[in-house]
Amino acid sequence: MFKEITSQQLNPEKFTQDKVKEIKELVGNGTAINALSGGVDSSTVTMLGHKALGKQLKTVFIENGLMRQGEPERVVSLFRQLGITVEIIDARKEFFTALQGITDPEEKREAITQTFYRDVFGRIIKQSGAKHLLQGTILTDVDETIAGIKRQHNVFEQLGIDPQEAFGYRIIEPLIQLRKDGVRKVGMALGLPTEIFQRIPFPGPALSARVIGEVTPERIETVRKATAVVENILKDTNAFQYLAILHLDRVTGMRDGRRDFGQQIEIRCWNSLDARTATPTPLSFEILEKLSAEVIQEVPGVVSVTYNITPKPPSTIEAV
Ligand code: XMP
């Protein structure tokens, strides 16, 4: 078992040196793939991987149809400025097909996991001849999976699943001893721009972790629009994470003087250090009203906006 390195213990330069050495040894003169989502963890792994492997590493962005507005283009252009080429792989159809008809949260997570690891990476790895996948799993992902709270999409060996047997490749996880605050320190030391290493966390299952009930392209579009509004209004709060959730229940509302049996968006905004526990941010009523007005205006079909005031635990940060 690996040992936690707390953010206080961490020496980012030494950590980087050690991990670069480890990655080099594991990959040898073969090639590796790494999937970049643009979040803090995968961006940091991308930087580490390129430092260790250079041209032996191929970086891909999986366009699963579940990402935030403008994300694929944004990630590609940001990394181009850092000298790293990112190839976009269009897998939208595969993900939406796999998610069709599923409403149970853990089944949804499992469908995402299988589509990512078995189908999409399995294919890319086969086509490229790579033997290793580099990814940004962190300690919090492992903890919650082992504790049976949530099956994080990227955790295998700790559940007794051998990726080599299950998917045909090895997984390298250089950040597994760290938590979010530690990853940010390493990302900064590796020269990631502030807008990446200070970015709020975003889950692997992406917006599907924020859709209660079935995930369809239409329902994702609704939560995507609401997410854009929430992220824009709350960006200066310094909160750990903020998000929008699409509920399954409909409620009676009215629009232009007519009955509108519409959808509900829940907003969450968290204070937290490492995502293990979290408390809702005491937002001013003025900000809450602004959020409501803008979500109603920008997101078709929504007639109700609520704010979550429950801490984690018993809540969790995402809804699914
Ligand atoms: P929860 O919802 O479990 O989230 O309180 C804790 C933190 O982890 C993020 N999260 C994930 N990250 N894969 C990830 O890489 C996942 O499957 C996943 N699920 C949740 C979440 O955004 C929060 O920061």
PDB file of all heavy atoms in Angstrom, residues 43-71:
ATOM      1  N   SER A  43      -4.147  17.415 -15.567  1.00  0.00           N
ATOM      2  CA  SER A  43      -3.201  18.393 -16.136  1.00  0.00           C
ATOM      3  C   SER A  43      -1.825  18.216 -15.501  1.00  0.00           C
ATOM      4  O   SER A  43      -0.795  18.284 -16.172  1.00  0.00           O
ATOM      5  CB  SER A  43      -3.682  19.829 -15.891  1.00  0.00           C
ATOM      6  OG  SER A  43      -4.890  20.055 -16.569  1.00  0.00           O
ATOM      7  N   THR A  44      -1.813  17.979 -14.189  1.00  0.00           N
ATOM      8  CA  THR A  44      -0.541  17.784 -13.493  1.00  0.00           C
ATOM      9  C   THR A  44       0.145  16.506 -13.977  1.00  0.00           C
ATOM     10  O   THR A  44       1.352  16.488 -14.227  1.00  0.00           O
ATOM     11  CB  THR A  44      -0.779  17.765 -11.962  1.00  0.00           C
ATOM     12  OG1 THR A  44      -1.424  18.986 -11.598  1.00  0.00           O
ATOM     13  CG2 THR A  44       0.503  17.603 -11.185  1.00  0.00           C
ATOM     14  N   VAL A  45      -0.639  15.450 -14.149  1.00  0.00           N
ATOM     15  CA  VAL A  45      -0.060  14.195 -14.654  1.00  0.00           C
ATOM     16  C   VAL A  45       0.480  14.376 -16.078  1.00  0.00           C
ATOM     17  O   VAL A  45       1.528  13.837 -16.425  1.00  0.00           O
ATOM     18  CB  VAL A  45      -1.117  13.069 -14.637  1.00  0.00           C
ATOM     19  CG1 VAL A  45      -0.692  11.900 -15.487  1.00  0.00           C
ATOM     20  CG2 VAL A  45      -1.322  12.596 -13.221  1.00  0.00           C
ATOM     21  N   THR A  46      -0.217  15.153 -16.870  1.00  0.00           N
ATOM     22  CA  THR A  46       0.242  15.411 -18.236  1.00  0.00           C
ATOM     23  C   THR A  46       1.619  16.089 -18.210  1.00  0.00           C
ATOM     24  O   THR A  46       2.532  15.705 -18.948  1.00  0.00           O
ATOM     25  CB  THR A  46      -0.783  16.291 -18.990  1.00  0.00           C
ATOM     26  OG1 THR A  46      -2.032  15.602 -18.979  1.00  0.00           O
ATOM     27  CG2 THR A  46      -0.362  16.562 -20.417  1.00  0.00           C
ATOM     28  N   MET A  47       1.777  17.073 -17.340  1.00  0.00           N
ATOM     29  CA  MET A  47       3.065  17.774 -17.243  1.00  0.00           C
ATOM     30  C   MET A  47       4.158  16.829 -16.757  1.00  0.00           C
ATOM     31  O   MET A  47       5.258  16.800 -17.311  1.00  0.00           O
ATOM     32  CB  MET A  47       2.959  18.970 -16.280  1.00  0.00           C
ATOM     33  CG  MET A  47       2.009  20.046 -16.737  1.00  0.00           C
ATOM     34  SD  MET A  47       2.475  20.800 -18.310  1.00  0.00           S
ATOM     35  CE  MET A  47       3.680  21.995 -17.767  1.00  0.00           C
ATOM     36  N   LEU A  48       3.845  16.061 -15.718  1.00  0.00           N
ATOM     37  CA  LEU A  48       4.821  15.091 -15.191  1.00  0.00           C
ATOM     38  C   LEU A  48       5.216  14.087 -16.266  1.00  0.00           C
ATOM     39  O   LEU A  48       6.392  13.776 -16.462  1.00  0.00           O
ATOM     40  CB  LEU A  48       4.176  14.291 -14.051  1.00  0.00           C
ATOM     41  CG  LEU A  48       4.416  14.686 -12.620  1.00  0.00           C
ATOM     42  CD1 LEU A  48       3.658  13.739 -11.702  1.00  0.00           C
ATOM     43  CD2 LEU A  48       5.894  14.670 -12.268  1.00  0.00           C
ATOM     44  N   GLY A  49       4.195  13.553 -16.956  1.00  0.00           N
ATOM     45  CA  GLY A  49       4.413  12.539 -17.987  1.00  0.00           C
ATOM     46  C   GLY A  49       5.295  13.063 -19.108  1.00  0.00           C
ATOM     47  O   GLY A  49       6.194  12.371 -19.580  1.00  0.00           O
ATOM     48  N   HIS A  50       5.050  14.297 -19.537  1.00  0.00           N
ATOM     49  CA  HIS A  50       5.860  14.840 -20.637  1.00  0.00           C
ATOM     50  C   HIS A  50       7.286  15.120 -20.186  1.00  0.00           C
ATOM     51  O   HIS A  50       8.226  14.959 -20.964  1.00  0.00           O
ATOM     52  CB  HIS A  50       5.184  16.066 -21.249  1.00  0.00           C
ATOM     53  CG  HIS A  50       4.145  15.677 -22.253  1.00  0.00           C
ATOM     54  ND1 HIS A  50       4.429  15.483 -23.582  1.00  0.00           N
ATOM     55  CD2 HIS A  50       2.856  15.346 -22.093  1.00  0.00           C
ATOM     56  CE1 HIS A  50       3.334  15.085 -24.204  1.00  0.00           C
ATOM     57  NE2 HIS A  50       2.359  14.994 -23.315  1.00  0.00           N
ATOM     58  N   LYS A  51       7.433  15.519 -18.946  1.00  0.00           N
ATOM     59  CA  LYS A  51       8.773  15.725 -18.400  1.00  0.00           C
ATOM     60  C   LYS A  51       9.542  14.396 -18.412  1.00  0.00           C
ATOM     61  O   LYS A  51      10.722  14.343 -18.728  1.00  0.00           O
ATOM     62  CB  LYS A  51       8.650  16.232 -16.961  1.00  0.00           C
ATOM     63  CG  LYS A  51       9.743  17.186 -16.555  1.00  0.00           C
ATOM     64  CD  LYS A  51       9.424  17.714 -15.149  1.00  0.00           C
ATOM     65  CE  LYS A  51      10.617  18.362 -14.516  1.00  0.00           C
ATOM     66  NZ  LYS A  51      11.035  19.618 -15.023  1.00  0.00           N
ATOM     67  N   ALA A  52       8.834  13.323 -18.082  1.00  0.00           N
ATOM     68  CA  ALA A  52       9.494  12.017 -17.996  1.00  0.00           C
ATOM     69  C   ALA A  52       9.680  11.367 -19.366  1.00  0.00           C
ATOM     70  O   ALA A  52      10.707  10.748 -19.630  1.00  0.00           O
ATOM     71  CB  ALA A  52       8.676  11.085 -17.099  1.00  0.00           C
ATOM     72  N   LEU A  53       8.692  11.499 -20.240  1.00  0.00           N
ATOM     73  CA  LEU A  53       8.670  10.660 -21.447  1.00  0.00           C
ATOM     74  C   LEU A  53       8.792  11.419 -22.762  1.00  0.00           C
ATOM     75  O   LEU A  53       9.058  10.804 -23.801  1.00  0.00           O
ATOM     76  CB  LEU A  53       7.371   9.836 -21.483  1.00  0.00           C
ATOM     77  CG  LEU A  53       7.124   8.902 -20.290  1.00  0.00           C
ATOM     78  CD1 LEU A  53       5.707   8.337 -20.357  1.00  0.00           C
ATOM     79  CD2 LEU A  53       8.143   7.772 -20.254  1.00  0.00           C
ATOM     80  N   GLY A  54       8.559  12.717 -22.745  1.00  0.00           N
ATOM     81  CA  GLY A  54       8.647  13.484 -23.994  1.00  0.00           C
ATOM     82  C   GLY A  54       7.787  12.876 -25.082  1.00  0.00           C
ATOM     83  O   GLY A  54       6.598  12.635 -24.882  1.00  0.00           O
ATOM     84  N   LYS A  55       8.405  12.572 -26.211  1.00  0.00           N
ATOM     85  CA  LYS A  55       7.646  12.086 -27.368  1.00  0.00           C
ATOM     86  C   LYS A  55       7.095  10.667 -27.185  1.00  0.00           C
ATOM     87  O   LYS A  55       6.298  10.193 -27.991  1.00  0.00           O
ATOM     88  CB  LYS A  55       8.534  12.127 -28.615  1.00  0.00           C
ATOM     89  CG  LYS A  55       8.794  13.534 -29.121  1.00  0.00           C
ATOM     90  CD  LYS A  55       8.925  13.541 -30.633  1.00  0.00           C
ATOM     91  CE  LYS A  55       8.954  14.921 -31.260  1.00  0.00           C
ATOM     92  NZ  LYS A  55       8.587  16.064 -30.457  1.00  0.00           N
ATOM     93  N   GLN A  56       7.561   9.984 -26.155  1.00  0.00           N
ATOM     94  CA  GLN A  56       7.017   8.635 -25.898  1.00  0.00           C
ATOM     95  C   GLN A  56       5.613   8.690 -25.303  1.00  0.00           C
ATOM     96  O   GLN A  56       4.987   7.658 -25.104  1.00  0.00           O
ATOM     97  CB  GLN A  56       7.920   7.883 -24.912  1.00  0.00           C
ATOM     98  CG  GLN A  56       9.240   7.417 -25.481  1.00  0.00           C
ATOM     99  CD  GLN A  56      10.115   6.948 -24.320  1.00  0.00           C
ATOM    100  OE1 GLN A  56      10.908   7.717 -23.789  1.00  0.00           O
ATOM    101  NE2 GLN A  56       9.964   5.708 -23.915  1.00  0.00           N
ATOM    102  N   LEU A  57       5.144   9.891 -24.995  1.00  0.00           N
ATOM    103  CA  LEU A  57       3.804  10.024 -24.399  1.00  0.00           C
ATOM    104  C   LEU A  57       2.840  10.678 -25.377  1.00  0.00           C
ATOM    105  O   LEU A  57       3.125  11.724 -25.942  1.00  0.00           O
ATOM    106  CB  LEU A  57       3.874  10.876 -23.122  1.00  0.00           C
ATOM    107  CG  LEU A  57       2.547  11.041 -22.382  1.00  0.00           C
ATOM    108  CD1 LEU A  57       2.065   9.719 -21.801  1.00  0.00           C
ATOM    109  CD2 LEU A  57       2.668  12.073 -21.260  1.00  0.00           C
ATOM    110  N   LYS A  58       1.691  10.030 -25.552  1.00  0.00           N
ATOM    111  CA  LYS A  58       0.649  10.607 -26.413  1.00  0.00           C
ATOM    112  C   LYS A  58      -0.496  11.052 -25.505  1.00  0.00           C
ATOM    113  O   LYS A  58      -1.001  10.272 -24.700  1.00  0.00           O
ATOM    114  CB  LYS A  58       0.178   9.521 -27.376  1.00  0.00           C
ATOM    115  CG  LYS A  58      -0.947   9.897 -28.311  1.00  0.00           C
ATOM    116  CD  LYS A  58      -1.289   8.640 -29.150  1.00  0.00           C
ATOM    117  CE  LYS A  58      -2.663   8.682 -29.750  1.00  0.00           C
ATOM    118  NZ  LYS A  58      -2.689   9.281 -31.073  1.00  0.00           N
ATOM    119  N   THR A  59      -0.876  12.325 -25.627  1.00  0.00           N
ATOM    120  CA  THR A  59      -1.926  12.858 -24.762  1.00  0.00           C
ATOM    121  C   THR A  59      -3.228  13.008 -25.541  1.00  0.00           C
ATOM    122  O   THR A  59      -3.247  13.594 -26.621  1.00  0.00           O
ATOM    123  CB  THR A  59      -1.500  14.228 -24.185  1.00  0.00           C
ATOM    124  OG1 THR A  59      -0.317  14.024 -23.412  1.00  0.00           O
ATOM    125  CG2 THR A  59      -2.571  14.825 -23.314  1.00  0.00           C
ATOM    126  N   VAL A  60      -4.294  12.461 -24.985  1.00  0.00           N
ATOM    127  CA  VAL A  60      -5.591  12.547 -25.669  1.00  0.00           C
ATOM    128  C   VAL A  60      -6.627  13.223 -24.762  1.00  0.00           C
ATOM    129  O   VAL A  60      -6.545  13.147 -23.543  1.00  0.00           O
ATOM    130  CB  VAL A  60      -6.122  11.146 -26.080  1.00  0.00           C
ATOM    131  CG1 VAL A  60      -5.224  10.488 -27.099  1.00  0.00           C
ATOM    132  CG2 VAL A  60      -6.303  10.236 -24.868  1.00  0.00           C
ATOM    133  N   PHE A  61      -7.567  13.870 -25.392  1.00  0.00           N
ATOM    134  CA  PHE A  61      -8.727  14.411 -24.684  1.00  0.00           C
ATOM    135  C   PHE A  61      -9.932  13.625 -25.181  1.00  0.00           C
ATOM    136  O   PHE A  61     -10.226  13.628 -26.374  1.00  0.00           O
ATOM    137  CB  PHE A  61      -8.888  15.911 -25.004  1.00  0.00           C
ATOM    138  CG  PHE A  61     -10.077  16.546 -24.333  1.00  0.00           C
ATOM    139  CD1 PHE A  61      -9.930  17.259 -23.150  1.00  0.00           C
ATOM    140  CD2 PHE A  61     -11.351  16.443 -24.881  1.00  0.00           C
ATOM    141  CE1 PHE A  61     -11.031  17.841 -22.524  1.00  0.00           C
ATOM    142  CE2 PHE A  61     -12.449  17.019 -24.255  1.00  0.00           C
ATOM    143  CZ  PHE A  61     -12.291  17.717 -23.085  1.00  0.00           C
ATOM    144  N   ILE A  62     -10.578  12.918 -24.277  1.00  0.00           N
ATOM    145  CA  ILE A  62     -11.737  12.132 -24.675  1.00  0.00           C
ATOM    146  C   ILE A  62     -12.974  13.031 -24.668  1.00  0.00           C
ATOM    147  O   ILE A  62     -13.431  13.463 -23.605  1.00  0.00           O
ATOM    148  CB  ILE A  62     -11.983  10.935 -23.705  1.00  0.00           C
ATOM    149  CG1 ILE A  62     -10.705  10.127 -23.480  1.00  0.00           C
ATOM    150  CG2 ILE A  62     -13.134  10.066 -24.197  1.00  0.00           C
ATOM    151  CD1 ILE A  62     -10.195   9.382 -24.676  1.00  0.00           C
ATOM    152  N   GLU A  63     -13.502  13.311 -25.836  1.00  0.00           N
ATOM    153  CA  GLU A  63     -14.728  14.108 -25.926  1.00  0.00           C
ATOM    154  C   GLU A  63     -15.892  13.145 -25.712  1.00  0.00           C
ATOM    155  O   GLU A  63     -16.315  12.425 -26.613  1.00  0.00           O
ATOM    156  CB  GLU A  63     -14.773  14.822 -27.281  1.00  0.00           C
ATOM    157  CG  GLU A  63     -16.115  15.400 -27.696  1.00  0.00           C
ATOM    158  CD  GLU A  63     -16.774  16.349 -26.682  1.00  0.00           C
ATOM    159  OE1 GLU A  63     -16.967  15.960 -25.520  1.00  0.00           O
ATOM    160  OE2 GLU A  63     -17.133  17.466 -27.108  1.00  0.00           O
ATOM    161  N   ASN A  64     -16.354  13.084 -24.444  1.00  0.00           N
ATOM    162  CA  ASN A  64     -17.406  12.124 -24.097  1.00  0.00           C
ATOM    163  C   ASN A  64     -18.791  12.754 -24.159  1.00  0.00           C
ATOM    164  O   ASN A  64     -19.786  12.113 -23.825  1.00  0.00           O
ATOM    165  CB  ASN A  64     -17.137  11.523 -22.711  1.00  0.00           C
ATOM    166  CG  ASN A  64     -16.926  12.606 -21.660  1.00  0.00           C
ATOM    167  OD1 ASN A  64     -17.280  13.758 -21.879  1.00  0.00           O
ATOM    168  ND2 ASN A  64     -16.337  12.239 -20.541  1.00  0.00           N
ATOM    169  N   GLY A  65     -18.840  14.030 -24.534  1.00  0.00           N
ATOM    170  CA  GLY A  65     -20.136  14.709 -24.622  1.00  0.00           C
ATOM    171  C   GLY A  65     -20.641  15.177 -23.264  1.00  0.00           C
ATOM    172  O   GLY A  65     -21.730  15.727 -23.169  1.00  0.00           O
ATOM    173  N   LEU A  66     -19.833  14.935 -22.213  1.00  0.00           N
ATOM    174  CA  LEU A  66     -20.292  15.230 -20.848  1.00  0.00           C
ATOM    175  C   LEU A  66     -19.495  16.365 -20.209  1.00  0.00           C
ATOM    176  O   LEU A  66     -19.601  16.618 -19.021  1.00  0.00           O
ATOM    177  CB  LEU A  66     -20.150  13.974 -19.972  1.00  0.00           C
ATOM    178  CG  LEU A  66     -20.736  12.671 -20.524  1.00  0.00           C
ATOM    179  CD1 LEU A  66     -20.314  11.485 -19.669  1.00  0.00           C
ATOM    180  CD2 LEU A  66     -22.260  12.765 -20.571  1.00  0.00           C
ATOM    181  N   MET A  67     -18.663  17.022 -21.027  1.00  0.00           N
ATOM    182  CA  MET A  67     -17.774  18.039 -20.465  1.00  0.00           C
ATOM    183  C   MET A  67     -18.447  19.418 -20.464  1.00  0.00           C
ATOM    184  O   MET A  67     -19.492  19.607 -21.063  1.00  0.00           O
ATOM    185  CB  MET A  67     -16.477  18.102 -21.262  1.00  0.00           C
ATOM    186  CG  MET A  67     -15.745  16.776 -21.354  1.00  0.00           C
ATOM    187  SD  MET A  67     -15.367  16.038 -19.756  1.00  0.00           S
ATOM    188  CE  MET A  67     -13.792  16.815 -19.424  1.00  0.00           C
ATOM    189  N   ARG A  68     -17.784  20.361 -19.813  1.00  0.00           N
ATOM    190  CA  ARG A  68     -18.352  21.696 -19.715  1.00  0.00           C
ATOM    191  C   ARG A  68     -18.239  22.458 -21.041  1.00  0.00           C
ATOM    192  O   ARG A  68     -17.493  22.064 -21.927  1.00  0.00           O
ATOM    193  CB  ARG A  68     -17.644  22.470 -18.602  1.00  0.00           C
ATOM    194  CG  ARG A  68     -18.070  22.011 -17.239  1.00  0.00           C
ATOM    195  CD  ARG A  68     -17.209  22.600 -16.150  1.00  0.00           C
ATOM    196  NE  ARG A  68     -15.870  22.020 -16.139  1.00  0.00           N
ATOM    197  CZ  ARG A  68     -14.946  22.306 -15.235  1.00  0.00           C
ATOM    198  NH1 ARG A  68     -15.207  23.186 -14.296  1.00  0.00           N
ATOM    199  NH2 ARG A  68     -13.771  21.736 -15.279  1.00  0.00           N
ATOM    200  N   GLN A  69     -18.970  23.560 -21.126  1.00  0.00           N
ATOM    201  CA  GLN A  69     -19.035  24.358 -22.348  1.00  0.00           C
ATOM    202  C   GLN A  69     -17.654  24.775 -22.861  1.00  0.00           C
ATOM    203  O   GLN A  69     -16.861  25.332 -22.106  1.00  0.00           O
ATOM    204  CB  GLN A  69     -19.840  25.619 -22.032  1.00  0.00           C
ATOM    205  CG  GLN A  69     -20.715  26.094 -23.132  1.00  0.00           C
ATOM    206  CD  GLN A  69     -21.842  26.957 -22.561  1.00  0.00           C
ATOM    207  OE1 GLN A  69     -22.859  26.467 -22.112  1.00  0.00           O
ATOM    208  NE2 GLN A  69     -21.631  28.242 -22.550  1.00  0.00           N
ATOM    209  N   GLY A  70     -17.381  24.511 -24.136  1.00  0.00           N
ATOM    210  CA  GLY A  70     -16.141  24.981 -24.758  1.00  0.00           C
ATOM    211  C   GLY A  70     -14.885  24.274 -24.280  1.00  0.00           C
ATOM    212  O   GLY A  70     -13.771  24.686 -24.594  1.00  0.00           O
ATOM    213  N   GLU A  71     -15.036  23.208 -23.493  1.00  0.00           N
ATOM    214  CA  GLU A  71     -13.905  22.587 -22.814  1.00  0.00           C
ATOM    215  C   GLU A  71     -12.855  21.960 -23.759  1.00  0.00           C
ATOM    216  O   GLU A  71     -11.670  22.217 -23.594  1.00  0.00           O
ATOM    217  CB  GLU A  71     -14.453  21.563 -21.822  1.00  0.00           C
ATOM    218  CG  GLU A  71     -13.552  21.214 -20.696  1.00  0.00           C
ATOM    219  CD  GLU A  71     -13.190  22.340 -19.746  1.00  0.00           C
ATOM    220  OE1 GLU A  71     -13.759  23.437 -19.841  1.00  0.00           O
ATOM    221  OE2 GLU A  71     -12.298  22.115 -18.934  1.00  0.00           O
TER     222      GLU A  71
END
